[in-house]
Amino acid sequence: MCLKRLWPSIIWAVIILLLTGLPGNYFPEVVSFWEWLSPDKVVHLGIFGVQSFLMLIAQKQYLSRKSRYRITAIILTSAIIFAALTEIMQSYVFIRRDGNYFDFFADVAGVFIGLLAYNLLVKKKMANKNID
């Protein structure tokens, strides 16, 4: 992967760290599983969906299918580890923030939403190339 292609995802990762590091005394707290679709969880879905999408865009499309699968697995694993680290930092590093399992689950769901969006975009792009 070319570092130049990774810049958007690196900048977005910094934005995620800034957002997750903001003091959270005014953020609503989720106390039950049924409240997991609160606006806070939708934000988690969105920011980590964008993160994985940007990371996936950085991979070169002309790689072999086997290499793309391997790199995609590495990217998804990296995004999930990053999501876990943000929750850990909210628990132990950031002031007035608490890590939350439900936030982590929303982060992981967002990672896979980013993968879905990427796959839909790439398939559409490839279909358009075949038409031309």
Side-chain angles (χ1 to χ4, degrees), residues 58-98:
Q59 68 179 318
K60 295 185 180 182
Q61 299 305 311
Y62 58 83
L63 295 171
S64 70
R65 182 181 299 252
K66 185 178 179 182
S67 294
R68 273 198 313 258
Y69 287 144
R70 191 174 336 118
I71 291 172
T72 298
I74 291 168
I75 288 170
L76 295 177
T77 302
S78 300
I80 291 169
I81 290 170
F82 181 61
L85 288 174
T86 61
E87 294 305 318
I88 291 168
M89 289 190 315
Q90 284 183 339
S91 290
Y92 299 107
V93 177
F94 298 137
I95 298 170
R96 292 191 306 266
R97 293 303 301 244
D98 293 316

